[in-house]
Amino acid sequence: TAQRHVALSAARFIDQKWRADRGLTENPNAFGPLTNLPDYTYLDGRPTPFGANQKKRLLKQQEVAAKIVQLSSELDFAKQRHERLKSEAKAEKQRIIQNKLKPKGHLLLKK
């Protein structure tokens, strides 16, 4: 008795190439008004509480933003350090050239 095992997932039914060509996300439910906006609003203008996963998503985005700021500052520090090391190496080379032996006696008088 032969058995067939066919596994299908809902994500495979979405045409990924079509979505990528148009610059859309792979998962249409990962971002958009249905995901990001509140389910309801109060008529008197009170703020609506966060949804079930909205608070989690907001905290994760804040962590990502903090990480981007940290890595950006580290990159700026590395660039400044590289420039400083280059200028120090250039100054050291110039100092060595100036401290080399100088002409003495009649060679000094020719200048």
Side-chain angles (χ1 to χ4, degrees):
T1 64
Q3 293 181 352
R4 283 190 199 171
H5 297 283
V6 178
L8 298 175
S9 67
R12 290 288 168 210
F13 291 123
I14 299 173
D15 188 5
Q16 297 297 330
K17 185 176 180 328
W18 180 87
R19 295 187 64 75
D21 291 343
R22 285 159 180 73
L24 300 172
T25 59
E26 288 182 13
N27 184 357
N29 296 329
F31 179 81
L34 291 176
T35 309
N36 296 339
L37 296 178
D39 293 336
Y40 58 92
T41 56
Y42 292 110
L43 293 177
D44 59 359
R46 287 183 289 163
T48 353
F50 291 120
N53 289 325
Q54 195 172 13
K55 178 78 169 178
K56 233 189 306 184
R57 202 169 33 256
L58 182 66
L59 292 174
K60 186 174 181 177
Q61 288 174 354
Q62 287 175 347
E63 289 173 9
V64 169
K67 187 73 171 175
I68 288 171
V69 169
Q70 175 194 356
L71 293 176
S72 177
S73 66
E74 288 177 7
L75 188 63
D76 292 340
F77 172 76
K79 286 179 182 178
Q80 291 171 355
R81 181 177 179 271
H82 178 67
E83 288 297 322
R84 182 176 46 84
L85 290 176
K86 275 181 25 180
S87 65
E88 287 176 1
K90 188 176 180 181
E92 179 68 17
K93 187 175 179 181
Q94 189 67 28
R95 186 188 64 78
I96 290 172
I97 289 173
Q98 289 190 0
N99 288 339
K100 283 191 174 183
L101 295 174
K102 306 240 186 304
K104 307 277 185 194
H106 68 282
L107 295 175
L108 184 61
L109 295 175
K110 286 184 180 178
K111 287 186 176 181

